[in-house]
Amino acid sequence: MSLHRKDTDSAFEGAGSKAGLEIWCIENLRLVPVPKSSHGKFYTGNAYIVLKTVLPKTGPAQHDIHYWLGNDTNKVDSAFASDKALELDAALGSCTVQYRELQGLETGKFLSYFKPCIIPVEGLYSSHQGHLNGETYKFSLLTCKGDHVVHIKEVPFSRSSLNHNDVFILDTASKIFLFSGCNSSIQERAKALEVVQYIKENNHGGKCEVATIEDGKFVGDSDVGEFWSLFGGFAPIPRDSPSSVQKQSDTPSVKLFWITTQGKLCQTGTDSLNKKILETDKCYMLDCGTEIFVWMGRQTLISERKTSISATEDFLRTQGRSTGTHLTFLTEGLESNIFRSYFDNWPQKVEPKLYEEGREKVAAIFKQQGYEVKELPEEDCEPFINCRGTLKVWRVNADELSLLPVPEQTKFYSGDCYVVQFTYPGNERDENLFYAWIGRRSVMEDRRDAISHMTAIVDSTKGDPVLAQAVEDKEPIQFFLIFQTLIIFKGGMSKRYKKFIAEKGITDETYDGIKTALFRVQGTSPQNMQAIEVDLVSSSLNSSYCYILQTETFIFTWIGSLSSTRDHDLLDGMLELINPTLQPISVREGSEPDIFWNALGGKAEYPKAKEMKQCVEDPHLFTLNTTEGDFKVHSTFYIITSFFFCGQKLLQVKEIYNFSQDDLTTEDVLVLDCHREIYVWIGCHSNVGSKQQALTLGLKFLEMDVLVEGLSLETPIYIVTEGHEPPFFTRFFEWDPSKANMHGNSFERKLAILKGKPHNLEVPTRNSWKAYSRETTPNGLRSKSVISNGLGRSGSPASSVSGSNSKSSTNQLFSSPTPIVRKLFSGSPHGSADESSVSAGSPAAEPRSFSQSAGFIQADGSGDCVNLLIYPYEQLSVISSDPVAGIDVTKREAYLSDEDFQDKFGMTKRAFYELPKWRQNKLKTSLHLF
């Protein structure tokens, strides 16, 4: 539904045709465009219409409409703004989401348009002069709240306005003071510094001093004395009383109302909300406590929509609801993520955009009639890194890793799991990328060990490498690009897989190069092509692909009617790899001989429609925080979902809108949701203790499905650490390497920039997991990376880790990381599988040496371990009622006396530390010492 041009305000002419912001101010009941130079400057006596337009890579334009109401705006202008927002929505085809924004209570999305902040100006906007007549500079005291978007509020210039929880800015004629409450976070202080910079540039022409004042520090600082003198001298700030601290409420009850054409609210008589309740010719109000949604069906009239908005605003007034209650107006089909989250099993949008579907159908029709149609370029197929690096692949084989010879590195089995290391030349150093590949038919023990083995190797590798988890059929494009060609066979080679199918009586389908097999060929180029063995039945075919059918005596290539010339080229390339000896028989779909169908067990129905690719939306960035308690909240300013998590811990997820590199705060853990894969970014000063914990956080994020987009738990997860971001991550940002390598916490970094100090490019050293891998590992055990010669993929370096029998715990999310004994095994990439497989019991698997940074363990194989601190077992146990303090909790067993150790473990300490790490952890777990 849309309005005719004659019914639309002339001020909206051409609105929404270009990406970016468009703002109109209501002046004397008419819309006045606000010039870009005044964007972000809002007057408290006015109402504004703000249109945000995004033009994605694919799909139609996306629009958000916000109408902002100043504290001094009159009722007439407020109602006019509401009507004009609805009129603009209709002019844009009723395909927008509308928000009511109140001064001081704006949504995070709205504030993200005006970084670092908006500071409302008292008075009225004048379109003739662009500012308030007689406006003069004055002292002001502002509170700053928020870590990624900041709410600014002017408070009385009085000592009583200060407190210990917030950050304040005192703006004077000659100097700006930043006062940080002792309970404020580093992120809030850093964000406030951006506001200070904004005020300095806009109010002082960049020429004024800046002073930072810390709550509770007064001695010997002239800035502190000057600050308090402005308040008439220093006096202690009173502590907040318990009653003044707002207690987090439980999840409010959610109520759904049908809004009649007369504006009457009728509550629906159901406790369970389902999308089927919403009828397309009606309007509804969803009351969520701190936020209210008005849902408008596609078949409703403009008059009905206006009535529903008025009825909702009347409801807020008559119910005495908080002025901070947000109103969001949604049209059917454009429901926001948080709205959909209140409904049970909201159906996922799997259909492609209409124009894309039409384009694909037209192309398919032309192809079926024999016309060649030019293919559109594939998205996201650029490698972003040098894919001519060093590849190394291990197969998980029970408790060991088997290094694969180079010819076998590109042949995987669906019943197995693999650890992949790819070393490639970066800007200044070699970089490492690790994958744990999980076969679809692999056993659970192998899956767990693949993650454990990978994290163990990563911890012994220099330079904070990126690691990832990838499940068969869900691999990220980057995984295929580093292999270039990959064949995935059915069956498996690992001992556990063989044992599993034998116990279950399952026929072993492992490909042996002779038996009949059907392969689907896929990919985008010779540098990205795969052959996947599928079930040997006709229903496995698909008109969109090409296939290779191999039997003992002949080989067929089958060309689907909807496949492209590029697919045919890939088919020829994969045929050379699978079976270059037999002369292939090429058949096109529809002209297959009987022998072809007989090999597949007879002819059957298979998909013949063009496979539609889903429209990939732009990525979303979220912060992950842990807090105490057990509740679920939908926040006013952000999407926040919280749940009980690992010992009284709650995982809170907050979306950062219109994100940039500056939002990657060093104290935070963030998730970049790219829909097809996610990236967990770990700041150097975050409290995550290991990459395995980060991987667990990524899995929890997938479980939460914050965007209600139907994220699979098998979505690829990358773990990226600050200062070591790979190009395929940084491509989502306007990346400045100097910012990525600055030293200090976020406040110190922002302060250095504000005061014009040169950037410290020293990469900060983590105080968590890398402290163990770099400081406690002897230099002789460090893995060395190898630069490719650029002519092709080189063999695996012999000096790198070629096997690992150590495991990390997969269920100790917030426990301290356990130092891992590094093991280096000799092995040539060109040797046999037997030569490169190292078992736990072989002499090569024994640890050479290691040192414990706490200083109480020495184990070099020449003598017994020495421990000068002895405690009874009852105090060292993790379930102890009287636990000992001040010990290294990762080495509880080391504090036992030799007698107690022998009694509990049945062996000496020396014998214990010669065991593989996974064996040590298992024994400690059974004795409650891990």
Side-chain angles (χ1 to χ4, degrees):
M1 181 187 66
S2 62
L3 290 178
H4 297 294
R5 184 181 298 272
K6 63 184 181 66
D7 298 321
T8 304
D9 195 304
S10 59
F12 291 145
E13 186 73 28
S17 59
K18 296 181 179 179
L21 280 179
E22 296 172 81
I23 303 177
W24 298 266
C25 180
I26 295 172
E27 184 181 19
N28 299 322
L29 291 182
R30 65 187 184 91
L31 291 173
V32 177
V34 177
K36 287 188 176 181
S37 59
S38 296
H39 283 191
K41 193 172 186 179
F42 293 87
Y43 287 84
T44 62
N46 292 101
Y48 294 79
I49 304 291
V50 177
L51 172 64
K52 172 67 173 180
T53 300
V54 176
L55 300 178
K57 293 180 181 179
T58 58
Q62 299 170 0
H63 307 286
D64 285 309
I65 299 174
H66 306 255
Y67 62 96
W68 185 90
L69 307 177
N71 288 340
D72 302 324
T73 305
N74 60 54
K75 293 183 179 180
V76 175
D77 283 353
S78 297
F80 187 79
S82 174
D83 290 345
K84 286 299 177 181
L86 196 59
E87 182 180 317
L88 178 57
D89 169 66
L92 294 171
S94 296
C95 61
T96 73
V97 178
Q98 303 162 62
Y99 304 85
R100 184 184 71 164
E101 307 285 355
L102 302 180
Q103 180 184 335
L105 299 165
E106 297 89 354
T107 61
K109 175 175 278 192
F110 181 79
L111 291 174
S112 71
Y113 305 149
F114 308 102
K115 291 181 178 180
C117 65
I118 60 172
I119 303 178
V121 180
E122 291 186 6
L124 292 171
Y125 173 78
S126 171
S127 58
H128 298 291
Q129 298 180 4
H131 65 276
L132 183 67
N133 287 330
E135 181 182 348
T136 58
Y137 186 83
K138 65 174 185 177
F139 281 28
S140 59
L141 182 63
L142 309 171
T143 60
C144 303
K145 296 184 179 182
D147 46 10
H148 287 278
V149 292
V150 59
H151 289 80
I152 303 295
K153 181 181 179 182
E154 185 169 359
V155 294
F157 182 31
S158 169
R159 184 190 293 106
S160 60
S161 296
L162 302 175
N163 62 57
H164 298 289
N165 298 318
D166 296 323
V167 182
F168 296 83
I169 294 175
L170 177 59
D171 183 16
T172 72
S174 59
K175 184 178 289 189
I176 303 174
F177 296 88
L178 177 70
F179 176 84
S180 301
C182 58
N183 296 328
S184 62
S185 69
I186 292 176
Q187 295 97 314
E188 286 181 310
R189 300 179 188 187
K191 199 66 183 178
L193 280 176
E194 293 183 19
V195 179
V196 169
Q197 180 71 37
Y198 173 82
I199 294 174
K200 179 180 177 180
E201 296 297 331
N202 288 274
N203 292 7
H204 300 270
K207 298 178 181 179
C208 74
E209 295 183 52
V210 174
T212 56
I213 312 296
E214 280 196 59
D215 184 11
K217 294 187 178 181
F218 314 109
V219 181
D221 192 323
S222 59
D223 288 332
V224 172
E226 183 181 354
F227 174 79
W228 286 112
S229 68
L230 296 172
F231 292 93
F234 169 74
I237 301 174
R239 296 287 177 182
D240 293 326
S241 61
S243 59
S244 67
V245 179
Q246 274 193 330
K247 185 179 180 181
Q248 182 68 58
S249 60
D250 293 333
T251 305
S253 58
V254 179
K255 299 177 183 178
L256 182 67
F257 297 85
W258 164 48
I259 307 175
T260 68
T261 54
Q262 293 77 34
K264 182 180 179 181
L265 299 179
C266 304
Q267 185 173 353
T268 58
T270 177
D271 295 330
S272 177
L273 297 182
N274 191 288
K275 184 179 182 296
K276 295 179 180 178
I277 299 174
L278 305 176
E279 299 181 32
T280 189
D281 59 347
K282 294 180 180 178
C283 294
Y284 296 84
M285 184 188 80
L286 184 68
D287 182 5
C288 306
T290 58
E291 185 158 16
I292 286 181
F293 297 90
V294 176
W295 184 91
M296 300 171 287
R298 283 280 180 187
Q299 303 302 319
T300 54
L301 303 174
I302 287 289
S303 58
E304 293 176 305
R305 299 185 180 195
K306 287 184 177 180
T307 300
S308 65
I309 293 173
S310 299
T312 302
E313 292 176 339
D314 290 340
F315 171 81
L316 289 177
R317 284 191 293 268
T318 58
Q319 294 292 317
R321 299 291 280 272
S322 167
T323 56
T325 303
H326 278 150
L327 286 181
T328 303
F329 309 102
L330 305 164
T331 302
E332 179 183 0
L334 296 164
E335 296 84 2
S336 63
N337 305 315
I338 189 169
F339 177 84
R340 289 184 284 137
S341 69
Y342 287 108
F343 289 77
D344 296 332
N345 302 317
W346 189 281
Q348 299 298 322
K349 295 180 181 179
V350 295
E351 71 278 1
K353 302 295 184 193
L354 185 60
Y355 81 97
E356 290 182 334
E357 184 177 5
R359 183 191 67 196
E360 296 283 1
K361 286 184 177 179
V362 170
I365 291 173
F366 273 97
K367 282 191 176 185
Q368 288 177 333
Q369 294 179 354
Y371 295 98
E372 186 62 36
V373 179
K374 185 178 180 180
E375 291 290 315
L376 291 174
E378 288 283 336
E379 295 180 19
D380 299 326
C381 290
E382 187 178 344
F384 297 103
I385 63 174
N386 187 336
C387 289
R388 293 181 177 272
T390 300
L391 186 65
K392 199 171 189 182
V393 181
W394 296 268
R395 180 187 294 118
V396 177
N397 197 14
D399 293 329
E400 63 189 41
L401 285 180
S402 300
L403 180 65
L404 299 184
V406 171
E408 302 298 318
Q409 288 180 346
T410 58
K411 298 176 182 178
F412 282 17
Y413 290 86
S414 184
D416 293 337
C417 295
Y418 298 83
V419 175
V420 177
Q421 179 183 4
F422 182 66
T423 304
Y424 63 95
N427 291 331
E428 299 178 356
R429 56 178 179 254
D430 280 3
E431 301 289 354
N432 283 285
L433 172 60
F434 286 85
Y435 286 95
W437 187 87
I438 311 298
R440 181 69 61 184
R441 294 178 174 84
S442 60
V443 299
M444 188 57 65
E445 292 89 343
D446 281 350
R447 297 183 180 198
R448 285 196 293 260
D449 282 356
I451 301 296
S452 184
H453 285 308
M454 176 180 66
T455 54
I457 299 175
V458 165
D459 283 346
S460 66
T461 302
K462 183 180 179 181
D464 261 337
V466 176
L467 63 83
Q469 172 182 297
V471 179
E472 181 186 358
D473 294 336
K474 296 286 185 180
E475 299 92 347
I477 186 67
Q478 192 63 55
F479 178 83
F480 289 136
L481 289 173
I482 66 174
F483 277 92
Q484 299 184 11
T485 59
L486 183 65
I487 306 174
I488 301 177
F489 299 106
K490 298 180 74 172
M493 305 295 287
S494 78
K495 299 175 184 177
R496 286 174 176 154
Y497 175 79
K498 297 293 188 184
K499 180 181 178 182
F500 172 79
I501 62 174
E503 291 176 347
K504 298 293 183 180
I506 300 173
T507 303
D508 191 351
E509 298 180 308
T510 304
Y511 181 79
D512 58 4
I514 300 175
K515 62 177 61 175
T516 303
L518 179 66
F519 297 90
R520 182 183 72 244
V521 177
Q522 62 187 38
T524 59
S525 71
Q527 287 73 43
N528 171 26
M529 59 180 182
Q530 305 88 44
I532 315 297
E533 185 178 358
V534 295
D535 292 338
L536 192 64
V537 291
S538 301
S539 57
S540 295
L541 299 174
N542 187 307
S543 299
S544 299
Y545 293 96
C546 295
Y547 292 79
I548 296 173
L549 174 61
Q550 174 183 295
T551 70
E552 295 181 7
T553 56
F554 58 82
I555 187 167
F556 280 104
T557 58
W558 186 85
I559 301 174
S561 60
L562 300 180
S563 61
S564 65
T565 303
R566 180 195 61 197
D567 296 327
H568 306 163
D569 294 337
L570 299 181
L571 179 64
D572 294 337
M574 294 308 303
L575 189 63
E576 289 293 321
L577 297 176
I578 292 177
N579 195 325
T581 58
L582 291 176
Q583 181 65 32
I585 303 171
S586 179
V587 296
R588 289 188 172 270
E589 182 178 2
S591 60
E592 302 87 350
D594 291 340
I595 191 173
F596 177 87
W597 296 118
N598 292 337
L600 296 177
K603 191 173 182 179
E605 290 297 319
Y606 57 85
K608 296 182 180 180
K610 178 68 176 179
E611 279 200 349
M612 301 295 180
K613 292 183 174 63
Q614 284 185 263
C615 177
V616 179
E617 299 180 2
D618 290 335
H620 295 254
L621 185 67
F622 300 88
T623 60
L624 302 184
N625 296 306
T626 55
T627 59
E628 304 295 329
D630 186 8
F631 54 88
K632 183 176 180 178
V633 188
H634 288 280
S635 168
T636 304
F637 301 130
Y638 309 94
I639 298 174
I640 298 185
T641 307
S642 304
F643 59 92
F644 185 76
F645 183 61
C646 192
Q648 304 302 317
K649 290 288 185 179
L650 289 161
L651 184 62
Q652 291 188 332
V653 178
K654 300 192 296 185
E655 180 165 8
I656 302 173
Y657 300 99
N658 298 298
F659 62 84
S660 66
Q661 183 185 356
D662 289 335
D663 289 308
L664 301 177
T665 311
T666 187
E667 293 81 15
D668 286 337
V669 179
L670 300 106
V671 169
L672 184 67
D673 180 0
C674 301
H675 310 286
R676 290 176 179 171
E677 66 258 351
I678 69 170
Y679 297 83
V680 180
W681 182 89
I682 311 299
C684 287
H685 293 82
S686 69
N687 59 2
V688 170
S690 71
K691 290 190 176 181
Q692 192 150 322
Q693 291 176 10
L695 186 58
T696 304
L697 286 174
L699 290 170
K700 291 297 181 183
F701 178 86
L702 294 178
E703 288 178 11
M704 295 168 71
D705 194 14
V706 178
L707 294 177
V708 198
E709 58 183 324
L711 275 180
S712 168
L713 295 180
E714 298 175 347
T715 301
I717 303 173
Y718 284 95
I719 307 300
V720 177
T721 54
E722 181 183 6
H724 296 269
E725 296 87 353
F728 52 89
F729 172 82
T730 60
R731 66 191 175 103
F732 296 106
F733 303 83
E734 292 183 4
W735 197 257
D736 181 354
S738 65
K739 290 182 179 180
N741 292 326
M742 287 190 69
H743 185 65
N745 61 38
S746 55
F747 178 79
E748 293 167 341
R749 298 180 189 188
K750 293 286 175 64
L751 187 60
I753 294 174
L754 179 63
K755 294 193 174 184
K757 295 181 179 179
H759 293 182
N760 186 341
L761 300 184
E762 176 186 354
V763 179
T765 302
R766 290 195 55 90
N767 56 5
S768 54
W769 69 85
K770 295 312 289 185
Y772 291 104
S773 62
R774 291 177 180 172
E775 296 174 10
T776 67
T777 304
N779 292 334
L781 298 183
R782 292 181 182 173
S783 173
K784 298 179 180 179
S785 55
V786 175
I787 299 178
S788 170
N789 57 16
L791 301 177
R793 179 169 291 139
S794 62
S796 302
S799 59
S800 295
V801 178
S802 62
S804 173
N805 295 341
S806 58
K807 298 182 189 176
S808 310
S809 172
T810 58
N811 57 6
Q812 301 294 324
L813 183 58
F814 288 106
S815 63
S816 299
T818 304
I820 299 175
V821 181
R822 279 43 168 179
K823 303 173 181 66
L824 291 181
F825 311 115
S826 60
S828 168
H830 302 286
S832 65
D834 291 338
E835 291 174 344
S836 53
S837 173
V838 182
S839 64
S842 64
E846 295 179 3
R848 297 182 183 178
S849 66
F850 71 97
S851 62
Q852 173 63 27
S853 59
F856 57 75
I857 296 176
Q858 293 178 345
D860 59 4
S862 60
D864 293 330
C865 299
V866 177
N867 179 11
L868 301 180
L869 302 175
I870 302 297
Y871 296 98
Y873 167 81
E874 290 73 21
Q875 284 188 279
L876 294 171
S877 170
V878 294
I879 59 175
S880 173
S881 58
D882 181 28
V884 64
I887 64 170
D888 184 347
V889 295
T890 68
K891 286 292 179 183
R892 296 175 182 270
E893 77 288 349
Y895 295 92
L896 290 170
S897 66
D898 292 341
E899 294 76 16
D900 285 346
F901 195 101
Q902 180 72 42
D903 179 62
K904 295 296 182 182
F905 286 90
M907 65 183 75
T908 64
K909 287 184 179 180
R910 177 180 179 180
F912 173 79
Y913 288 118
E914 289 177 349
L915 294 174
K917 196 65 181 180
W918 69 268
R919 180 66 175 161
Q920 295 179 27
N921 291 343
K922 188 173 183 180
L923 289 173
K924 291 197 295 182
T925 300
S926 66
L927 294 171
H928 303 293
L929 292 172
F930 185 76

